[in-house]
Amino acid sequence: MALNPTSLVIDYARASDRAALARLAWALHQTNDVALSPAEARGTLAPLVVAGHRLRVGRIGTMPVAYALWRERHETLYVRHFVVSPQHRRLGLGTRFLALLLDHWPAHKDVWLHCQTAPARAFWAAKGFRRTQGAMRLTRPFEAAP
């Protein structure tokens, strides 16, 4: 059965999401060639949320399949993590999750992020982000990429 990207919804993280979020964080670090155990990955999110970052989860049904972690400062929104589970990549879920987040994020803020891999840079460039000062930047308001 094909997965429909429109079934993805944005939600707050729940205590019951801890294990799934740790697996997603671990997948992020593995993609970026960072040697990190699943237990260490689990420990990477909590301090960031406490330090003023915001966390939202992309769900299909009750299952977290993506998450984003960001911080707002002045007129800028800095994305620290944007992760789609490896088994759910290349299905349109990242595009759908980003669209939901852009609707959720303040429209007057520019969005900045750092990409570690060529596929990540290609994804963000396809969404209208441009390389600026070693990072990817989306200046808003903007025309969404097709």
Side-chain angles (χ1 to χ4, degrees):
M1 181 174 141
L3 186 63
N4 182 352
T6 61
S7 63
L8 183 91
V9 296
I10 190 173
D11 194 11
Y12 290 94
R14 304 173 188 157
S16 59
D17 295 335
R18 239 184 219 139
L21 291 175
R23 284 190 299 277
L24 288 170
W26 182 76
L28 169 69
H29 292 295
Q30 294 302 305
T31 300
N32 294 333
D33 293 327
V34 175
L36 196 66
S37 73
E40 289 170 320
R42 187 172 35 255
T44 63
L45 293 177
L48 293 171
V49 173
V50 171
H53 287 76
R54 297 183 183 182
L55 174 69
R56 293 298 179 272
V57 175
R59 296 182 194 285
I60 294 180
T62 60
M63 180 177 56
V65 296
Y67 80 84
L69 184 73
W70 72 90
R71 183 177 197 148
E72 293 178 46
R73 187 157 187 216
H74 306 294
E75 298 302 313
T76 305
L77 191 141
Y78 300 94
V79 178
R80 177 81 180 241
H81 293 175
F82 181 95
V83 186
V84 175
S85 72
Q87 62 267 35
H88 292 95
R89 291 180 186 161
R90 314 266 332 137
L91 300 171
L93 295 176
T95 298
R96 168 76 175 160
F97 191 41
L98 177 60
L100 292 170
L101 289 168
L102 287 171
D103 285 345
H104 175 76
W105 289 336
H108 65 280
K109 294 191 183 265
D110 288 353
V111 181
W112 286 77
L113 56 98
H114 289 276
C115 297
Q116 303 278 335
T117 65
R121 283 189 291 278
F123 171 83
W124 292 105
K127 305 305 178 239
F129 284 70
R130 299 292 168 245
R131 274 188 87 88
T132 305
Q133 302 170 5
M136 299 294 284
R137 178 182 183 189
L138 181 67
T139 303
R140 295 173 68 174
F142 64 94
E143 292 295 322

